[in-house]
Amino acid sequence: MSVPILKGMTWSHPRGYDPMVACSTLWQQKTGVVIEWDKRSLQDFESFPVEELARAYDLIVIDHPHVGQITAEGCLEPLDVAGREAERTALASGSVGQSYPSYNWQGRQWAFPIDAASQVQAWRPDAISAPPARWSEVLDLARQDRVLLPLRPPHVLMVFYTLAGNLGHACTTDSSDDLIDVEIGSQVFEAMREITALVDPACFEMDPIAVSERMAEASSRFVCAPLIYGYVSYATDGFRANRLAFADVPVIRSGGPVGSALGGTGIAVSAFSKARDAAIDFAYWVASGDVQRGPYAAAGGQPGHAAAWEDQAVNEATGDFYRDTRATLEGAWVRPRHDGYMAFQQAASERILSGMTSRHQARQVVADLNRLFRESSPAQVSGAAVEEPEPNRTEENKNDRNDPRPAGRNGACLACNDRLCTGCARRHRWTADRTQGAV
């Protein structure tokens, strides 16, 4: 019987790629099974349809908000196979926060966490003595032009989520309801407006990698990113000119470091793979505690198993990255996961951005977020409750069949309610359901 050659897809960053290659080399030595890994840029990784990846690869690295879409498309193989209950119990008991259950949907386990993350705080130990503990301290640093904040979609929405959660009013995950109370949501939006007015406008185009790179430059004046998905690579000596340290999120009220939007990634197996059993075997192995705290962490990965987060050697090698952010991970909030959420994530991110840059009223922005969220409900998307009409058009473009804009009230874009929109609504409402948003 020939030994299969598997293909895997992950994202192009040392944290995402290097540990998969290193562990696959060990797996080949152990089993003879070869796994060849491809990688895409973070932006490309976030925009490529899961189903197309599943048809081309045996193993795919995903994030948890995709599970509803995955269930609907039938493109991944459930990992809760019979006879491996003890292994799954061990994986579940090693969950960092809600990482393991975040990949469980409709009673099935669609992926195993191999990378645990949430928004935490990055800071420069060479420039300040301690990270800000309270949001007011962050604002003080921002007024000195020493703060960066990743706001490129979807991270602007992740900031909204985390601030809402830390205020004690986490957004709902029930798509039949409003995302958030209008009054609470307006408070969150105004808090975002306050800090975005103080940071470099370039933040609107920056993701966590870009912010980390900027902070880690030798001549950088920036010392704090208060809400950012942690990248352990930057916590190691010699990775960049400046080593970054990581800490729990600063609190806006008094409830502790809770409510951060959970991120991370999981290993999934394609339903179209011709070697599903071999792929599942690797998924169980690479997600296990011994591998996660051993070769996976040693290769620069950011493990998804508590055995690594609690390991003395792993923490010493990363300046206590894991210990210093664990409380935030344990209190993190799981994003909605219904089929249709990914389209909402992009549309909502764009709506918040347009509200910030065009200085829209907070209540109107939050009302639009709530509307977009309800419209993302599977019943709404499928047409069971609302039939999607042919896009309306403004008077000025109604005869132009190539115009991409579906018009909303007074000809405004349905996604951002902006008459000057150049087509984002078409992208959100008709293709964003194919958009991945790994964070």
Side-chain angles (χ1 to χ4, degrees), residues 97-301:
Q98 296 297 307
S99 294
Y100 184 89
S102 73
Y103 295 102
N104 191 287
W105 182 252
Q106 296 182 342
R108 305 303 302 270
Q109 191 73 27
W110 298 99
F112 295 143
I114 56 171
D115 181 300
S118 73
Q119 285 199 315
V120 293
Q121 180 175 193
W123 63 288
R124 289 259 308 280
D126 66 301
I128 54 177
S129 59
R134 302 195 61 81
W135 191 252
S136 59
E137 298 171 31
V138 172
L139 294 176
D140 289 341
L141 283 175
R143 294 185 185 100
Q144 301 170 37
D145 194 23
R146 305 186 79 188
V147 171
L148 290 175
L149 189 66
L151 296 171
R152 182 177 184 171
H155 300 284
V156 66
L157 179 60
M158 302 303 110
V159 171
F160 184 93
Y161 283 156
T162 297
L163 288 176
N166 197 247
L167 280 168
H169 298 279
C171 293
T172 187
T173 58
D174 180 358
S175 59
S176 67
D177 200 357
D178 284 347
L179 179 72
I180 192 170
D181 175 80
V182 172
E183 294 298 331
I184 298 298
S186 296
Q187 292 179 36
V188 174
F189 185 81
E190 292 297 352
M192 290 182 65
R193 199 198 300 271
E194 181 178 21
I195 192 168
T196 56
L198 298 172
V199 300
D200 189 331
C203 288
F204 288 111
E205 299 296 328
M206 299 175 79
D207 60 22
I209 294 176
V211 167
S212 298
E213 289 287 343
R214 187 81 176 274
M215 288 180 64
E217 292 173 353
S219 58
S220 178
R221 68 179 182 276
F222 299 107
V223 300
C224 174
L227 300 176
I228 185 171
Y229 283 94
Y231 277 71
V232 70
S233 309
Y234 297 92
T236 58
D237 288 325
F239 183 73
R240 293 292 185 265
N242 287 323
R243 188 186 79 82
L244 303 186
F246 293 84
D248 290 322
V249 293
V251 297
I252 197 167
R253 287 279 174 86
S254 57
V258 298
S260 178
L262 186 69
T265 61
I267 184 75
V269 173
S270 169
F272 307 114
S273 172
K274 296 180 180 179
R276 287 193 294 272
D277 289 345
I280 289 173
D281 285 344
F282 177 78
Y284 272 85
W285 179 78
V286 77
S288 67
D290 286 345
V291 174
Q292 289 273 294
R293 70 182 176 191
Y296 190 93

Side-chain angles (χ1 to χ4, degrees), residues 323-340:
R323 288 199 187 101
D324 290 347
T325 60
R326 181 71 179 271
T328 297
L329 267 291
E330 292 297 332
W333 169 79
V334 178
R335 282 173 279 165
R337 296 172 294 161
H338 60 273
D339 186 22

